[in-house]
Amino acid sequence: SFTCIYNQGIKIMIIYYVGAEISFESRSLLYRHFGTELEHPHATIIYSHKWFPYKTAKCFPLIIEPAYEYLVLRGNLVLKFENNRFFLRHIELRNLGASSDFDHFTSHITIGPIKIWEMYDQLEYLTKAIPSPKFPITLSNEYYGTWEENLKE
């Protein structure tokens, strides 16, 4: 069940979000790699429709080693990665009651909206033009936030 409120007759869903900031140094490396300022690069740990008791993680800073893979998730270009500590943090939040829209969690760093990369019709062209980064990316800290999304009934 979702956490919903009504505001002037509009049904609104509350989103409970935990993400990880990309360090300044890693943002600088990503800027040089992609040749453009990235809007808000971050790593999503959980995007939940249900409230859960949040407690700050103790696993940061966290260094993500390369072998990244390009994916498109919800209209954003992302770098998929594997990191056991990151994955376990996601599981910890799920065990505290957080929900997820996805059956399988994909650890990823959001690079930005796909419109930035419109010159590349498909990911295979992007991969050839700009190979995925070969350097570690540091997640400096975890953050928690909420926002509201209108639901269409």
Side-chain angles (χ1 to χ4, degrees):
S1 68
F2 301 156
T3 304
C4 294
I5 60 173
Y6 285 87
N7 184 358
Q8 299 179 350
I10 299 171
K11 191 174 185 179
I12 297 173
M13 177 174 45
I14 309 294
I15 302 301
Y16 304 92
Y17 180 85
V18 179
E21 292 282 351
I22 308 299
S23 73
F24 176 79
E25 294 80 8
S26 291
R27 285 195 320 268
S28 296
L29 288 170
L30 289 167
Y31 172 79
R32 284 199 301 270
H33 182 79
F34 288 106
T36 186
E37 186 71 32
L38 304 179
E39 202 171 298
H40 178 65
H42 62 279
T44 298
I45 301 169
I46 195 80
Y47 174 99
S48 177
H49 298 148
K50 290 173 53 182
W51 179 87
F52 57 94
Y54 173 73
K55 292 183 179 156
T56 305
K58 301 196 185 329
C59 62
F60 291 92
L62 185 59
I63 297 172
I64 307 301
E65 296 295 338
Y68 308 107
E69 177 186 340
Y70 286 121
L71 293 176
V72 175
L73 295 176
R74 293 187 176 192
N76 286 295
L77 179 66
V78 305
L79 292 173
K80 178 182 170 186
F81 65 86
E82 301 292 330
N83 182 284
N84 195 48
R85 285 176 54 197
F86 192 86
F87 178 76
L88 290 174
R89 179 61 174 150
H90 172 82
I91 297 302
E92 179 183 6
L93 295 174
R94 293 285 300 267
N95 288 339
L96 289 170
S99 65
S100 178
D101 289 347
F102 303 99
D103 293 334
H104 303 287
F105 177 65
T106 302
S107 300
H108 65 279
I109 295 168
T110 300
I111 299 302
I114 198 65
K115 66 182 182 206
I116 294 171
W117 317 103
E118 284 175 347
M119 63 184 133
Y120 304 103
D121 293 335
Q122 297 177 1
L123 283 181
E124 66 181 272
Y125 297 121
L126 174 62
T127 304
K128 288 176 185 168
I130 307 174
S132 63
K134 303 291 185 233
F135 49 84
I137 297 173
T138 301
L139 306 179
S140 57
N141 62 289
E142 183 179 279
Y143 63 95
Y144 172 80
T146 64
W147 65 84
E148 301 173 351
E149 291 184 358
N150 292 346
L151 287 177
K152 297 180 180 163
E153 296 191 88

